[in-house]
Amino acid sequence: MKQTDQSFSKRYKAYVLLVLTGVYTFNFIDRQILVILQESIKGELGLSDTQLGLLTGLSFALFYVTLGIPIARFADRSNRKNIVSASLAIWSLMTAVSGFAQNFIQLLFARIGVGIGEAGGSPPAHSMISDYFPPEQRATALSIYSMGIYFGILLGYIGGGWLDQNFGWRVALMMLGLPGIVYALILLFTVKEPPRGLSDNTVGEEVPDESFWDVLGVLLSKKTFVFLALACGIHTIGNYGVGNFFAPFLARVHGMPVGQIGLWMGLSAGFGGMAGTFLGGFLGDKLSKNDIRWYLWLPVVAEGLNFISHYGAVFSSNINVVIFSYFVSAFLTAIYLGPCLAVTHNLVDAHKRAVASAILFLVLNLIGLGGGPLLIGAASDYLSADFGVESLRYAFCLTFITGAVAMIFFYLAAKHYKYDLGVKEEKEIFV
């Protein structure tokens, strides 16, 4: 007997979404915790900004994105809940282990371990959510899940800053890493694996044995995805590049203590990012009823508006203006994620969604997370001879360029979206 969307109550689906959002919260607590701790780590271990960029970006991203592909492939044919639970336990343990590092190499390998664990988190979770929620609710559901990014940043920055100031960066890593292991057990024993294709009414249909290359071929055949993936990757150069170095910027340029930095960055990035993430998905689902291209037009509008707020955050000498501008920037730069995930899932069949998410995240994180912090860190080191402690301010200017390029790619993705979905309005895509 085929299950339908009514097989799970609205209350239970809301509970599953809440639990998975909690998983993503732990994901970003553990991923971003080094951002608030890096000035203390730099001082004790004697690191450069380039090395900090490697620790918070490329070293993590390389293993995160490459292992995400085979894990997502496995998840499309096995129990996704178990994969997410095991991954959460691994990355939480490795975060705690990071607190024992005595030099750059040891900390580098610990961060690689965090990246390996987190590789199994989001793609299987995305796939589960798309089975629990139908297409017309998908962007909103995926946006609520993605709010975990900013819950994690909020808790990681505030908690990490307070722990660092009072107990040191090593205790902060241990205290924020270990609770994820307990949460992994909650996920394992209280969440059910949904039937694949549930919300699309395709449960029980024969699933073809398709390889990663088959899924990649489908995505690459759709210009929407090609432009969308490039847009997301280039957009997140700014997200990760500025976000990962904004705490040192506040310390060096504005003289803020780490506890205060953690509080204000946590509140600004946390609440701004959560609001932007939710609104992006909610507005995407609402506006798309009139024109489905709004899923991709929204990031264009948000990216353009962000030029103003980013300028205020980087160049204002008034700390209140800096913090408010950073809040607005966090809000605007978060709008893209829910709509882009929904578009990616709408372009493929239910049994391809975990791999599709992994491919999108491969491009997004390899360019944005891998390149952003390294680019900003290297630019800061290069400019330090001329600008001293203000070198980060001018390194951040690179993201004005990447933001403009991202806007172009989001717009090009929107032009092809109707055609790639099979909507018979091929000429209209060039409007």
Side-chain angles (χ1 to χ4, degrees), residues 156-222:
Y157 284 1
I158 294 176
W162 184 83
L163 287 168
D164 183 21
Q165 185 166 296
N166 290 280
F167 301 101
W169 64 270
R170 297 181 185 280
V171 172
L173 285 167
M174 296 175 200
M175 293 295 293
L176 293 177
L178 292 175
I181 299 173
V182 177
Y183 196 84
L185 297 174
I186 294 174
L187 169 66
L188 183 66
F189 292 111
T190 66
V191 169
K192 300 176 182 178
E193 171 77 2
R196 215 170 300 269
L198 180 64
S199 66
D200 296 288
N201 294 317
T202 59
V203 176
E205 291 186 3
E206 184 177 351
V207 177
D209 185 18
E210 295 177 300
S211 68
F212 158 76
W213 300 108
D214 293 325
V215 180
L216 180 62
V218 170
L219 290 172
L220 291 180
S221 71
K222 300 178 186 296

Side-chain angles (χ1 to χ4, degrees), residues 215-418:
V215 180
L216 180 62
V218 170
L219 290 172
L220 291 180
S221 71
K222 300 178 186 296
K223 292 182 179 179
T224 301
F225 180 80
V226 175
F227 289 126
L228 168 66
L230 290 172
C232 289
I234 295 168
H235 167 79
T236 52
I237 288 176
N239 282 24
Y240 285 113
V242 175
N244 284 22
F245 276 101
F246 207 73
F249 171 74
L250 291 176
R252 298 174 195 176
V253 176
H254 295 283
M256 291 180 69
V258 64
Q260 192 175 354
I261 291 172
L263 175 63
W264 286 113
M265 276 193 66
L267 293 173
S268 298
F271 286 110
M274 281 187 279
T277 301
F278 175 77
L279 190 65
F282 179 79
L283 284 180
D285 281 339
K286 291 294 182 183
L287 294 174
S288 68
K289 294 178 181 178
N290 297 319
D291 193 314
I292 56 175
R293 291 172 293 186
W294 270 109
Y295 281 125
L296 296 159
W297 287 338
L298 274 175
V300 176
V301 175
E303 193 81 61
L305 292 173
N306 184 53
F307 288 135
I308 302 170
S309 55
H310 182 53
Y311 182 87
V314 173
F315 286 103
S316 177
S317 59
N318 185 315
I319 191 61
N320 294 319
V321 174
V322 170
I323 296 299
F324 177 74
S325 298
Y326 185 70
F327 166 82
V328 176
S329 186
F331 169 78
L332 291 169
T333 56
I335 283 173
Y336 84 104
L337 188 53
C340 291
L341 286 170
V343 167
T344 300
H345 284 205
N346 291 343
L347 290 171
V348 298
D349 299 329
H351 61 276
K352 298 185 179 80
R353 285 178 182 146
V355 172
S357 280
I359 293 170
L360 176 64
F361 272 34
L362 185 151
V363 179
L364 186 158
N365 286 299
L366 199 57
I367 297 175
L369 180 57
L374 183 59
L375 176 66
I376 297 299
S380 175
D381 283 339
Y382 177 78
L383 295 169
S384 62
D386 294 321
F387 297 101
V389 295
E390 293 202 354
S391 61
L392 278 173
R393 170 172 281 163
Y394 297 98
F396 288 161
C397 290
L398 291 170
T399 61
F400 287 111
I401 300 171
T402 58
V405 175
M407 287 177 68
I408 295 170
F409 282 127
F410 278 127
Y411 176 73
L412 291 173
K415 287 179 67 174
H416 294 278
Y417 188 36
K418 282 189 175 183

